[in-house]
Amino acid sequence: MKRKAINKLISLGLAGILAAGLMTGCGNSDDKPSDTGSSQSGADNQSSAGSEEGSGQEGNSGATSGAAANGISLPEIPDGVLKLEVSIPDFNQTSEGTMIQNLWQEKMEAYLGVKLDITWTRTAWNDFRETEKVPLQAGKIVDVSTLSIGPAINEFGEDGVVLNLADYMDYMVYYPEYMADTNGGENFAKNEDGSMYYFMDGSYNMSNIEGAQSFTAFAYRFDVLKDNDLQPATTLDEFTQLCADIKAKIDSGDIDAQYPIMNSTKDYSLYRGFVGIFHTWDVLYYNGSEWVFGPLEDNFREMLKYLNGLYEAGYIDPEFGTADTESANGKAATGVAVICPTLWSGSVTGWNDATDVEGMEWGLAYLPEGPYGTSWKWGSKQGGKSLANGMGIYISAKTEHPEYVVAMIDYQYSDEMVEMLNWGVEGETYTVENGKKTFVDSILNPADSTSNASLESGKYGLMASSVCRTGIPFTPIDFEAMLMTTAGSQSWWNAEDGYYVGDFWVESSRLGGPDSVSPYDREPVMYLTPTEQAMRGQLRYGGVCESRVKELALQFITGEKDIDNDADWEAYIADVKSQTDDDFDSILETLNAKTVK
């Protein structure tokens, strides 16, 4: 395969992953939100605010109601001007001077009933994150700032540097809706003592799309299946038979491939694509009633036994644990294998774009059903209004008018502001037909062939672009609008619809249904001390236990260790448990004791 095509493929994959992280709040090192709580985790203008004349202005999404109309009583500012210093990051495209940023200020002034005089400090996102703690540690912060350190802000709140938002709940109307609707409720947004030191990043998902982007589907060579009168598997038994059929046709020369199964990268353990099928997980997770370490469960052992059977039958590329991303991408694009069960779902688009193989078509089908019913997918989006605690906004404890600042940030969570920030102006950036919004054609199908919907919407300052954050980040992203500008589409198959084109967020939600949401993605709140957080970290992604499991599980899959031998399995359990600095079982006991039921 041409080196240029491979490099293009890698760039596409990395761009997709980075964009996906930004879409969902930029993520964190654990691939999911961490826990909340201590662990997690002028006079004339003011007098008119909320009056019939001053309570609103006719905007793109209807009349803007003033804070007073919401029952918020703001103190008088003598000159009617709220002066603020605000520190925010700039992403791929700056929001400065955009139409939506200008509308944000207009609507904020109408809502608060004052003029805003804001001095903006803008820093490139990567640079922002590198220096973010410096002003906090020095105790010299501006009135309002974006944050990306999540619950780590709590220590600065406890030191009196950051405003305790819990003391200003009377100035909030909209944010409490997100607090209440998030999995874990108010406990997620507040610390154990009831304090709250930042507004968390929000998601607006009123279509209740509970899909996921990774480890939610198997990838298949649709062109190969069609040519050989085969189809993707809907059950694990069907998957085993499909592998056998493909292997037979490879051996007979009817299919030009080397193996039925490959992995997308050694960085994803092959079993990660199967853990949800066996209703277990590859690290620490909440199973619906308690915290457990998935790789020690009987279900995990059953899964390893199944994978060993596939390996012994010659169905799996023996380089599944050693081929890096570049090598694996080359295998996919040159037709080394027919199925890839462990992957980021957007990879199939990159493989199809990079291939030189005539007619190659990689596509997706939802995880086959296993012995425990509907397979769990990883990373299911929350429906409705929800919060993620990795990113957000904090306010200085020394800001002169905290009531106004709290009310201002709270207003960013209102439906009308979310609509304006994400969709823009009706007739200019979007249209409505039969109650359904869609972006205008100049955004969705730009005349410039080097551009795309994400970049075009970003030029307006639209949040849905995922390349531009408007207002004071992080403000809620409308998930449906974001999908329209960024998600793209892939080839899909299911037993009812056959082959068609869809999007992995939508299809994994539709095909998996409510039962596909893993308890891992709806875990309860824990209140942990820093020491307890460190203990827990040993059992999470990137922890010492996961690293050891990856090594030992590989031996079971390849048959170096006998998965059917109880002595080998007990030795494996003892080895994994020995990796922690703290007693392994006591870590789980602590986590369960600290869980908010």
Side-chain angles (χ1 to χ4, degrees), residues 34-36 39-41 284 291 523 526 528 531-540 582 587 591:
S34 56
D35 305 299
T36 187
S39 80
Q40 9 248 120
S41 345
L284 173 75
W291 292 95
E523 63 187 39
M526 286 187 294
L528 301 179
T531 299
E532 291 164 345
Q533 291 179 58
M535 290 169 56
R536 179 195 56 180
Q538 299 171 86
L539 275 61
R540 302 178 86 182
D582 310 279
I587 295 175
L591 297 182

Side-chain angles (χ1 to χ4, degrees), residues 374-386:
T374 301
S375 297
W376 293 344
K377 62 185 188 296
W378 173 85
S380 297
K381 188 78 174 172
Q382 283 192 50
K385 300 176 181 180
S386 63

Side-chain angles (χ1 to χ4, degrees), residues 564-595:
D564 290 319
N565 186 303
D566 290 342
D568 282 354
W569 182 251
E570 292 302 323
Y572 158 78
I573 291 176
D575 192 324
V576 172
K577 286 187 173 183
S578 72
Q579 302 302 310
T580 60
D581 294 329
D582 310 279
D583 178 70
F584 184 95
D585 292 328
S586 68
I587 295 175
L588 292 176
E589 291 171 4
T590 298
L591 297 182
N592 283 305
K594 289 299 188 78
T595 297

